[in-house]
Amino acid sequence: MSELALMKQGAEARVYSGTFMGRKCVVKERFPKTYRHPELDKKLTQRRTLQEARAIFKCKKTGEIDTPAIFFLDRERSRLVMEFVEGITVRDFLNARREQQQQQQQQQQQQQQQQGAPDVCAAYPYEPDSVMDAIGACLATLHRENIVHGDLTTSNLMLRHRPADPSSSTGHDGADNGGSNNGAPLPAEVACTSVVLIDFGLSTTSTLVEDKAVDLYVLERAFLSTHPGSEALFARILARYESASSRKAAKAVLSKLDDVRKRGRKRSMVG
């Protein structure tokens, strides 16, 4: 394995980029918690690493959930070596779309296209509704397999980079854009067929309807706090979740979600 470069650090682990057997990879390494007894900490950390790997493998096994491929598991060092996903998070995608709409409303598109948002929209020309549909279908399959992610946010959902179509260098007006989007119309939107689910560090296996409802509630709160005015987008996710699940399972989870919401509002009011 090549020399690793730190990408980010969370409360539980550090994430590095590097190469493994000639392939670009991501290494997730859980670090020791000094406040725990060393032997207990090692056992808990190894168990959590193994559990995360099993959850990813179980998702892959369905053939319906896109996750990073696991290259290697180092239990002794609590390391997971995984595929480096070329793409962006759903969070960045939605933020870019919102910025693009604001630019169009201000009628300054030509000037603003030299900034980041339209470039992202050109590289990921997905219909937002189709992205929400893909998320709903992914979560329906996840819960059907009795896997609870535990940390569903738009930062833990990714869109793979869509290889450029050689014909896309010509805009709608037939002008040659030279592969750049500056000053040119954005490419036609296409349907998104899948999203990549990442970071299973808090995942569990559970058949409880309550756990699955809380999973959806966490994502809903993430949408509302990170993407203001996104109620319609999340409603689209739930609609696809319902249609992709069995009638009995969907009814139970969505009914429990209403209960969880009520408890959440009551907690917010009480403080």
Side-chain angles (χ1 to χ4, degrees):
M1 190 181 297
S2 68
E3 185 176 346
L4 302 178
L6 181 66
M7 294 175 63
K8 66 177 183 178
Q9 177 174 330
E12 299 289 330
R14 298 185 184 94
V15 179
Y16 303 88
S17 62
T19 57
F20 179 78
M21 299 182 70
R23 300 182 65 177
K24 197 171 183 181
C25 71
V26 167
V27 178
K28 182 174 182 179
E29 180 180 47
R30 283 185 165 79
F31 45 79
K33 298 296 181 65
T34 56
Y35 59 83
R36 292 195 295 224
H37 187 281
E39 290 185 15
L40 175 61
D41 178 72
K42 186 174 182 179
K43 288 182 179 180
L44 291 175
T45 303
Q46 288 180 340
R47 182 185 304 170
R48 174 54 67 178
T49 302
L50 183 59
Q51 187 172 345
E52 180 172 4
R54 283 174 173 165
I56 294 174
F57 177 75
K58 192 173 182 180
C59 288
K60 276 288 187 189
K61 194 175 179 181
T62 66
E64 300 177 45
I65 303 176
D66 193 359
T67 62
I70 297 178
F71 296 155
F72 183 70
L73 169 62
D74 185 344
R75 291 189 62 182
E76 189 62 29
R77 301 176 69 176
S78 297
R79 276 185 171 185
L80 263 179
V81 183
M82 298 173 284
E83 167 195 8
F84 185 97
V85 177
E86 298 285 356
I88 61 168
T89 64
V90 170
R91 175 178 181 170
D92 289 341
F93 171 78
L94 293 177
N95 287 341
R97 297 283 308 196
R98 186 181 183 203
E99 186 178 338
Q100 180 198 17
Q101 291 172 354
Q102 291 174 344
Q103 291 168 3
Q104 291 172 340
Q105 290 170 358
Q106 296 169 357
Q107 297 181 347
Q108 297 176 344
Q109 185 176 5
Q110 185 173 357
Q111 177 184 355
Q112 298 292 342
Q113 277 177 340
Q114 297 176 0
Q115 298 181 6
D119 290 337
V120 169
C121 295
Y124 303 90
Y126 298 119
E127 301 166 349
D129 282 349
S130 71
V131 174
M132 301 305 111
D133 288 343
I135 293 173
C138 173
L139 298 184
T141 304
L142 187 78
H143 289 169
R144 185 190 71 205
E145 297 298 319
N146 295 321
I147 302 172
V148 174
H149 186 276
D151 190 21
L152 286 176
T153 68
T154 50
S155 293
N156 287 335
L157 291 160
M158 292 188 68
L159 300 173
R160 289 188 183 273
H161 184 262
R162 185 168 174 266
D165 185 343
S167 63
S168 65
S169 60
T170 301
H172 296 298
D173 57 357
D176 183 7
N177 300 333
S180 173
N181 192 49
N182 293 341
L186 292 173
E189 292 182 345
V190 297
C192 175
T193 57
S194 70
V195 293
V196 186
L197 200 52
I198 63 172
D199 195 357
F200 285 77
L202 297 178
S203 65
T204 57
T205 298
S206 175
T207 59
L208 296 178
V209 172
E210 171 90 9
D211 292 341
K212 297 172 184 178
V214 170
D215 223 18
L216 295 178
Y217 180 70
V218 170
L219 181 60
E220 181 178 37
R221 299 307 302 171
F223 259 89
L224 297 180
S225 61
T226 310
H227 310 286
S230 61
E231 290 83 358
L233 293 177
F234 188 74
R236 181 96 184 193
I237 291 175
L238 292 185
R240 184 68 183 105
Y241 179 92
E242 183 174 12
S243 65
S245 306
S246 69
R247 181 178 299 180
K248 181 178 179 181
K251 183 178 180 180
V253 173
L254 296 181
S255 176
K256 182 61 69 173
L257 174 60
D258 287 335
D259 293 340
V260 174
R261 283 169 173 160
K262 292 174 184 175
R263 294 204 300 266
R265 283 196 292 269
K266 184 176 180 180
R267 191 177 299 113
S268 298
M269 292 172 61
V270 175

